[in-house]
Amino acid sequence: MEVYEVFRQEREGAPMQHSGNLLAPDPELASHYAREFYGRRQESVRLWIVPRAAIRDLSDPDLLQPPLDRSFKKPVGYSADIKRKLAAARDRLGVGSAGEPEAEDPVVAAGRKGAEQA
Amino acid sequence: MSTSLPATGPEAAAQLDEPTREALAELLLAMADDEFVIGFWDSEWTGIAPLLEEDVAFSSLAQDEIGHAQVLYQLLAELRDADPDRIAFGRGAQEYRHARLLDHPRTDWAFSIARRFLYDTADAVRLDLLAASSYAPLAGVVAKMRREETYHLLHATAWVERLAGGGEEPRRRLQDALERLWPDALCVLAPLEGDRRLVEAGVLAEPLADGEQRWLTGLAPLLERLGLPFPFRRAGARLEPAVERPASPRGDHSASFEWLWGEFTSVYRSDPEAAW
């Protein structure tokens, strides 16, 4: 007996989603059982039936959850870092904090001018 | 072929002459009772099939058969202006017209699989003979049933192959079951009184006896390859049974069936007038 993981598609164009798993003695019966478990109420237009043994499992924390900070690899992490740098630059230039949105931010303006000259 | 009839039951029924209507009613009752009774026998595996997955699958197949019986009883009810529930549940045990193949109790797994295999393969041929029926309401129902039966056939064949190649005990049980069931399996496509008339009216493509030959010819290669019982002799182009055909293919039902009938009619009999 082998475990099969079953994915189903609810309608054409929808993503394949993991539905669950089942036990079967061989791939043919696995297909029949998948049809009964995840298709007998006409809730699927396609099923993928995958022997669990064929799935490469990757769960090593050294690969997926490395200990060093990786926040700069996330869009939100990058913007947080930029905000911190902006605040520091404002302090250096002695201008106000981010509470005055009307005026162009001097740091942004300096950057824009630099880009125009280049 | 006769001209095509409208798709709704009562109008189509009204266009048939009386002898053809009688013959069609006989065929519909035989088919509906076959599906109904095998559905009830096989539903007895719910909870005790060899593995959980098979339990769900086999129970679902049994439900499909009850569903097929329901639409066939409905067609019959339109033909005779009767109540389908009363036809399904309101008759005495000996008034059912299912084939003797379905008189046997559930027995063991190999037996239930052997019966389902013999029944499904014979029923598939019967459905083929009705696919282009001039009786439009039946042709419509048969088109839907055939799509579901495709899966039933795959399932039954998968199990026959596995039991045949599954070691000494499963193979012996399957062989014993087939030997015991073959004579009664011949009842599924046994001629009905009116089947020639149905052929003339274009309701049925060929007499059931010709369907039986197609069925046997189709089964021979698989059963021969698996070395399973196939008790037939070649007589020219025809296959003749080497076992005796039962005298009463759709009657003289067993005590086992009377027990099953008592089970499946118990709720109906408790109050035949109730609305469910």
Side-chain angles (χ1 to χ4, degrees):
Chain A
M1 296 286 272
E2 202 178 345
V3 178
Y4 291 80
E5 298 291 343
V6 183
F7 300 80
R8 81 183 178 89
Q9 188 182 36
E10 205 165 281
R11 57 186 183 282
E12 282 302 331
M16 298 301 291
Q17 285 182 312
H18 186 236
S19 302
N21 48 53
L22 52 85
L23 268 177
D26 56 60
E28 187 186 2
L29 286 175
S31 300
H32 292 339
Y33 298 154
R35 180 261 186 194
E36 292 294 357
F37 275 43
Y38 305 109
R40 76 175 184 279
R41 301 179 191 90
Q42 300 172 323
E43 68 272 48
S44 305
V45 297
R46 172 174 285 106
L47 296 178
W48 284 349
I49 301 110
V50 183
R52 184 180 279 173
I55 294 175
R56 289 182 65 91
D57 178 85
L58 189 62
S59 57
D60 182 344
D62 285 355
L63 296 174
L64 298 174
Q65 301 290 325
L68 294 174
D69 176 42
R70 289 289 185 277
S71 63
F72 55 84
K73 294 200 172 180
K74 300 177 191 169
V76 63
Y78 186 70
S79 70
D81 195 41
I82 280 288
K83 278 178 193 153
R84 188 180 56 74
K85 286 179 178 167
L86 271 170
R90 285 189 193 104
D91 285 349
R92 267 202 318 280
L93 294 167
V95 297
S97 70
E100 300 151 10
E102 302 83 32
E104 188 178 23
D105 188 294
V107 177
V108 174
R112 181 171 55 74
K113 280 172 192 148
E116 281 165 6
Q117 285 160 10
Chain B
M1 293 290 290
S2 65
T3 53
S4 65
L5 296 165
T8 57
E11 290 123 52
Q15 295 194 8
L16 299 173
D17 60 40
E18 190 50 36
T20 305
R21 190 171 20 240
E22 271 309 300
L24 177 57
E26 183 195 20
L27 173 70
L28 288 174
L29 186 62
M31 290 175 70
D33 283 353
D34 282 351
E35 299 278 308
F36 202 50
V37 175
I38 198 169
F40 277 108
W41 278 129
D42 284 353
S43 73
E44 288 208 311
W45 283 103
T46 302
I48 53 168
L51 63 154
L52 173 69
E53 282 75 358
E54 187 56 46
D55 198 311
V56 173
F58 213 59
S59 302
S60 170
L61 295 177
Q63 267 186 332
D64 289 347
E65 304 297 22
I66 302 285
H68 296 170
Q70 185 186 16
V71 295
L72 292 167
Y73 284 133
Q74 182 63 44
L75 285 184
L76 183 57
E78 286 167 1
L79 202 61
R80 289 192 155 159
D81 194 22
D83 170 27
D85 282 340
R86 190 171 296 277
I87 302 172
F89 294 108
R91 288 173 290 155
Q94 294 301 332
E95 293 173 72
Y96 282 75
R97 286 294 164 264
H98 58 275
R100 285 175 66 91
L101 176 65
L102 311 172
D103 265 355
H104 298 268
R106 164 173 57 83
T107 318
D108 61 19
W109 181 247
F111 190 91
S112 282
I113 289 295
R115 166 161 60 192
R116 186 158 259 298
F117 174 74
L118 292 172
Y119 175 71
D120 280 345
T121 49
D123 183 46
V125 170
R126 186 167 56 184
L127 295 176
D128 288 347
L129 297 182
L130 291 165
S133 181
S134 62
Y135 190 62
L138 181 56
V141 161
V142 163
K144 290 176 189 155
M145 286 174 66
R146 284 170 98 201
R147 291 184 56 188
E148 287 197 357
E149 294 292 351
T150 303
Y151 163 67
H152 291 200
L153 280 173
L154 288 172
H155 176 271
T157 307
W159 267 104
V160 164
E161 286 176 338
R162 277 153 189 78
L163 292 171
E168 192 273 323
E169 191 189 349
R171 185 176 174 81
R172 177 174 48 75
R173 284 176 183 264
L174 179 64
Q175 276 177 322
D176 290 351
L178 286 168
E179 263 161 33
R180 217 172 123 202
L181 289 170
W182 259 121
D184 290 342
L186 297 171
C187 300
V188 179
L189 293 170
L192 296 170
E193 233 170 89
D195 74 56
R196 300 263 163 198
R197 177 167 285 277
L198 292 177
V199 174
E200 285 162 24
V203 173
L204 192 64
E206 295 177 355
L208 292 174
D210 293 359
E212 185 179 87
Q213 286 296 312
R214 283 178 191 277
W215 170 51
L216 297 173
T217 307
L219 275 189
L222 176 68
L223 293 179
E224 278 161 16
R225 174 167 67 77
L226 297 174
L228 292 170
F230 187 69
F232 297 88
R233 288 184 288 259
R234 295 211 171 267
R238 293 183 75 81
L239 285 161
E240 294 295 340
V243 292
E244 201 169 330
R245 288 179 184 274
S248 180
R250 293 184 174 273
D252 194 13
H253 296 306
S254 65
S256 298
F257 173 69
E258 288 187 339
W259 171 83
L260 185 75
W261 173 88
E263 293 287 306
F264 72 65
T265 59
S266 62
V267 175
Y268 181 85
R269 284 183 291 119
S270 70
D271 183 357
E273 303 308 318
W276 299 101

